[in-house]
Amino acid sequence: EDKVVQSPLSLVVHEGDTVTLNCSYEVTNFRSLLWYKQEKKAPTFLFMLTSSGIEKKSGRLSSILDKKELFSILNITATQTGDSAIYLCAVKNSGGSNYKLTFGKGTLLTVNP
Amino acid sequence: GAGVSQSPSNKVTEKGKDVELRCDPISGHTALYWYRQSLGQGLEFLIYFQGNSAPDKSGLPSDRFSAERTGGSVSTLTIQRTQQEDSAVYLCASSAGTLVDTQYFGPGTRLTVL
């Protein structure tokens, strides 16, 4: 069974800080890893990673995947209060159940002014 | 539509009653998914529809849960004889197809069973 573990479970920082969120996984026939941001109820898509070592970047957010060590990190630089949210990591396999995402429990990020 | 929509946004019901939750996927998306998010937990897969194929119901937690998708578009998740442990946010997602990895989520329905 596929498994995703995120750390830390929660994190409180001040505006301007840089944060690193971690996601480790166990998956049979890895296909992709996805990051989502969940502010109220709807998770919104951030990144999809399929290849090791290639950084995906969007503004102050970036993410990278290590398929050898089976983990990904999500970095947020110069954090703002609007970054406060739950960040979800999910994996997809290329096997028989290659349509569903397996999610971690998420990291609750709180950015204080 | 511009995104996935769900209704109602909130539902409070009494234990033992039936509820129906609705999902309108993004226009043209053939794949539709239901997930459940309980307090402090990650998203738990419930059911998956792809085109006219038989749905994968392997994630449904009990036979009180069922879902259908009419005309390859709108989907309804039904929970019969609700229990307090059914309280959660029910999220629907759609994607352009099975091989398209990115799933786009709706705002969810927060179900509270008293």
Side-chain angles (χ1 to χ4, degrees), chain A residues 92, chain B residues 4 25-33 48-51 69 93-104:
Chain A
K92 195 169 190 184
Chain B
V4 179
I26 293 172
S27 178
H29 279 193
T30 58
L32 186 147
Y33 317 79
Y48 156 77
F49 296 90
Q50 169 60 42
R69 188 180 185 191
S94 70
S95 68
T98 300
L99 296 181
V100 177
D101 292 7
T102 305
Q103 297 177 16
Y104 296 91

Side-chain angles (χ1 to χ4, degrees), chain A residues 31-32 34 36 38 41-43 45 48 88 92 98-101 103-105, chain B residues 9 33 35 37 41-43 45 48 56 91 98-101 103 106-108:
Chain A
R31 177 181 170 89
S32 60
L34 292 87
Y36 286 86
Q38 185 177 29
K41 284 191 287 188
F45 171 75
M48 184 180 75
L88 296 167
K92 195 169 190 184
N98 64 350
Y99 41 82
K100 59 183 169 183
L101 295 174
F103 283 85
K105 292 186 179 181
Chain B
S9 56
Y33 317 79
Y35 293 85
Q37 187 175 32
Q41 301 296 313
L43 278 69
F45 168 80
Y48 156 77
D56 177 354
L91 290 157
T98 300
L99 296 181
V100 177
D101 292 7
Q103 297 177 16

Side-chain angles (χ1 to χ4, degrees), chain A residues 38-100:
Chain A
Q38 185 177 29
E39 291 180 80
K40 291 186 177 178
K41 284 191 287 188
T44 53
F45 171 75
L46 294 175
F47 299 112
M48 184 180 75
L49 302 150
T50 57
S51 300
S52 274
I54 298 175
E55 184 183 56
K56 292 282 184 90
K57 194 171 174 64
S58 176
R60 296 176 294 102
L61 277 67
S62 63
S63 183
I64 198 161
L65 174 68
D66 186 327
K67 290 167 72 173
K68 182 179 177 184
E69 300 299 328
L70 308 182
F71 76 92
S72 174
I73 60 172
L74 176 68
N75 278 321
I76 309 175
T77 59
T79 51
Q80 302 172 357
T81 55
D83 295 327
S84 297
I86 297 173
Y87 290 84
L88 296 167
C89 175
V91 294
K92 195 169 190 184
N93 68 47
S94 57
S97 59
N98 64 350
Y99 41 82
K100 59 183 169 183

Side-chain angles (χ1 to χ4, degrees), chain B residues 13-34:
Chain B
T13 190
E14 293 179 347
K15 178 180 172 182
K17 298 283 178 112
D18 297 352
V19 295
E20 281 191 357
L21 313 179
R22 177 187 168 104
C23 171
D24 275 285
I26 293 172
S27 178
H29 279 193
T30 58
L32 186 147
Y33 317 79
W34 283 98

